């Protein structure tokens, strides 16, 4: 298979390079506009949830949102000219269904406690695109210093815009740093190879996502993962392929033979790596939230695209550039930093393994106290109007509930009396502060609005929601609102989590078994990946949930971690951890297949991959860590969390824990039951190990080779 994949580049390099250039141009034109096309509605909502049912039922009955999605904060008295003008502007927009104000309701909750500002609540037409309406209103109110727009629809619109803007800044920041690191690592013209592969992979992935989006609407947040992960994986794959090609050249192989050996060995590594990362990201697609599905699809697409680009394009570049890519500097036998490190670790494997595992577990302990938050205006910086409006309502409008809980009740026209009695019972529930009069919306639909204590994700609001849903109702009822949305989101995640974890674990076990033929190594890889994920998530809790480094990192703590972000981070970290594990295990297995003893194979594998994994980790930490500059809190969490994770994995897991555990288990590392061993031999019958690299065999007195007695 690898021979067929590399054939075009090896035998028709110029034609392959020109085709790649044409593909990049097409992908840039078609996929470059993905940011404006990926805009799945209600991306953080389970379409089968009770809150979605309640919202849909009311929208069908009224043709409008069940609650105000746009709130205008106007500096002025209710009867002032500024308020009247702002109300006219809102009503004039074709996407606004109706506008509520003090003048229309005489509700004092629309007036600030100091009387200096007033709220206007606009509910959008259910047929209108909220993003388009908010964009028009933002333009209409531009320049009016006394009016600021907020509300759930405005907050989501501004979050999308801020994320897109931050993505552009992250690219501008990361790309020069990656170029500099590539030059320091590769030197000369070889530094352009990973960047070229990265650009091709990212643009190709955007093209694929644009095509998928035509049939399955995706969230624009997938773009952040595609860009960061695409650049990182492309660099990783380029590193391992270029490094192996240079090794083969340094042994005296011709260009064609060096390419063949490189792609039979390192190319196989790239395939297994891409499959493990794609499987980890694809596990997110089992969750019913379109946000997670979009991230999962985007991550799987970019992993496979990065591998395909590397395997198809690099053979052509190797032919065209040849010796100009340089040769690896031979390491004297039994020498090299990573070789010596492996020997040192394997002299005291029990102590190193115990200390490393203990430290990682201690770092992961804070994960047990995680508190969950949602996506609302609080994820934005204070410079955004929706954040200002949200903070102002919380401080100056104590009687106003900008995010009410609402109920959609299926009842006949004559149900008013029974529903009024039901509303009185609702009003007596703890943490319920007010209940509206039942309002008939259509022949079979009624609505009751409620105000509850605290923010939607707070304990009192969630307790009130549970009490509302538990209270027997005279007719079928669905409860909606932000508190219900948060509750149903957590329930959806909890219900899908076992399946997601099963897919993640099973796919990793199968892929690593196919690669190694062992069942011990895949199980051990799962355990080490879990340590990496736990340690990185523990760091997130310490920093973002506990509000550490708010000044240097320029963020406002939400007092918890955004739940979906937690899952995305776990999937990415798990995939990248397996990625680096594949890099190391393939070289260890290659050495072991040539008859080297277990410890010699481990030292040999680490010497070959230590520099590659370290360099790759640093560069992927830059590519993904650049999102730590984002002004959106959950993107900042994602960037800094992944950067910390890959560095932990490269410098602690692969450098210390892997050789320690490999030394402790000795030949048990390669054990597999006889039926599985025979099956693996049949499946891999066409694979032959590459020639032994004599340059890394240890000297006879190293203590690693067996001696005759």
């Amino acid at each position: 298979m690898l021979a067929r994949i590399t054939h075009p580049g090896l035998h028709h390099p110029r034609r392959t390079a020109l085709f790649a250039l044409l593909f990049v141009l097409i992908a840039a034109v078609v996929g470059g506009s993905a940011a404006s096309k990926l805009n799945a509605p209600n991306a953080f909502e389970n379409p089968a949830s009770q809150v979605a049912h309640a919202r849909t039922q009311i929208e069908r009955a009224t043709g409008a949102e069940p609650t105000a999605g746009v709130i205008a904060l106007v500096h002025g008295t209710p009867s002032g000219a500024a308020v009247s003008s702002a109300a006219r502007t809102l009503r004039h927009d074709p996407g606004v269904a109706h506008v509520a104000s003090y003048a229309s309701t005489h509700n004092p909750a629309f007036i600030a406690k100091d009387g200096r500002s007033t709220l206007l609540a606009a509910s959008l037409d259910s047929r209108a695109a909220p993003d388009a309406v908010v964009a028009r209103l933002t333009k209409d109110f531009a320049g009016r210093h006394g009016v600021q727009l907020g509300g759930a629809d405005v907050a989501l619109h501004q979050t999308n815009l801020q994320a897109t803007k931050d993505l552009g800044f992250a690219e501008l920041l990361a790309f020069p740093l990656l170029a500099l690191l590539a030059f320091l690592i590769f030197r000369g013209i070889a530094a352009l190879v990973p960047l070229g592969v990265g650009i091709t992979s990212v643009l190709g992935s955007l093209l694929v996502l644009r095509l998928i989006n035509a049939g399955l609407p995706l969230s624009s947040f997938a773009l952040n993962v595609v860009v960061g992960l695409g650049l990182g994986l492309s660099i990783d794959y380029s590193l391992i392929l270029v490094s192996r090609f240079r090794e083969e050249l340094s042994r005296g192989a011709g260009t064609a033979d060096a390419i063949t050996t490189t792609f039979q060995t390192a190319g196989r590594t790239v395939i297994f790596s891409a499959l493990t990362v794609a499987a980890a990201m694809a596990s997110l697609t089992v969750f019913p939230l379109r946000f997670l599905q979009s991230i999962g699809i985007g991550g799987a697409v970019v992993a496979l695209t990065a591998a395909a680009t590397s395997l198809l394009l690099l053979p052509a570049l190797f032919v065209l550039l040849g010796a100009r890519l340089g040769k690896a500097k031979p390491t004297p036998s039994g020498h090299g930093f990573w070789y010596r490190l492996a020997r040192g670790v394997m002299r005291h494997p029990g102590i190193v393994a115990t200390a490393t595992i203990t430290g990682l577990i201690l770092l992961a302990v804070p994960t047990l106290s995680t508190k969950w938050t949602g996506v609302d205006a609080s994820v934005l910086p204070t410079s955004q109007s929706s954040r200002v409006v949200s903070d102002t309502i919380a401080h100056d409008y104590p009687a106003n509930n900008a995010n009410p809980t609402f109920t959609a009740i299926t009842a006949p026209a004559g149900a008013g009396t029974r529903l009024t009695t039901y509303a009185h019972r609702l009003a007596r529930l703890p943490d319920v502060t007010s209940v509206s009069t039942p309002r008939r919306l259509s022949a079979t639909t009624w609505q009751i609005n409620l105000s509850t204590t605290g923010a939607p994700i707070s304990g009192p609001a969630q307790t009130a929601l549970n009490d509302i849903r538990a209270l027997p109702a005279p007719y079928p009822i669905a409860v909606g609102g932000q508190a219900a949305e948060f509750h149903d989101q957590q329930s959806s995640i909890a219900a899908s989590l076992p399946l997601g974890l099963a897919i993640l674990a099973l796919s990793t076990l199968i892929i690593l078994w196919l690669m190694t033929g062992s069942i011990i190594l895949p199980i051990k890889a799962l355990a080490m990946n879990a340590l990496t994920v736990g340690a990185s998530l523990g760091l997130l809790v310490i920093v973002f949930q506990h509000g550490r480094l708010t000044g240097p990192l320029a963020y406002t703590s939400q007092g918890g971690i955004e739940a979906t972000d937690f899952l995305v981070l776990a999937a990415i970290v798990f995939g990248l951890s397996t990625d680096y594990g594949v890099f190391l295990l393939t070289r260890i297995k290659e050495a072991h297949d040539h008859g080297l003893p277990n410890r010699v194979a481990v030292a040999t594998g680490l010497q070959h991959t230590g520099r590659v994994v370290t360099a790759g980790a640093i560069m992927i930490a830059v590519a993904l860590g650049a999102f730590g500059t984002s002004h959106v809190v959950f993107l900042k969490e994602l960037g800094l969390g992944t950067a910390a994770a890959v560095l932990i994995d490269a410098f602690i897991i692969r450098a210390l824990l892997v050789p320690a555990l490999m030394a402790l288990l000795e030949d048990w590392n390669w054990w597999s039951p006889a039926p599985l061993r025979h099956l693996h031999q049949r499946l891999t019958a066409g694979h032959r190990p590459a020639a032994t690299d004599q340059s890394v065999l240890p000297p006879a007195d190293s203590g690693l080779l067996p001696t005759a007695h």
Side-chain angles (χ1 to χ4, degrees), residues 515-540:
M515 186 188 80
T516 64
S518 163
I519 65 167
I520 300 298
L521 291 177
I523 293 173
K524 190 169 62 176
L526 282 179
M528 289 187 291
N529 288 358
L531 285 174
T532 304
V533 171
S536 59
L537 296 180
L539 283 175
L540 279 192

Side-chain angles (χ1 to χ4, degrees), residues 376-434:
D376 55 21
S378 65
V379 306
L380 290 167
T382 54
S383 59
Q384 293 286 0
S385 66
S386 58
R387 173 69 184 276
V388 173
V389 171
S390 177
D391 292 347
T392 302
I393 291 175
H395 184 266
D396 295 339
Y397 292 80
N400 188 286
N401 184 7
N403 304 298
T405 296
F406 61 88
T407 62
I409 307 169
T410 303
T417 302
R418 296 185 68 185
L419 289 178
T420 299
T421 302
Y422 173 66
H424 291 323
R425 293 168 59 204
L426 288 172
R428 290 194 292 269
L429 292 175
D431 297 313
V432 173
T433 57
S434 67

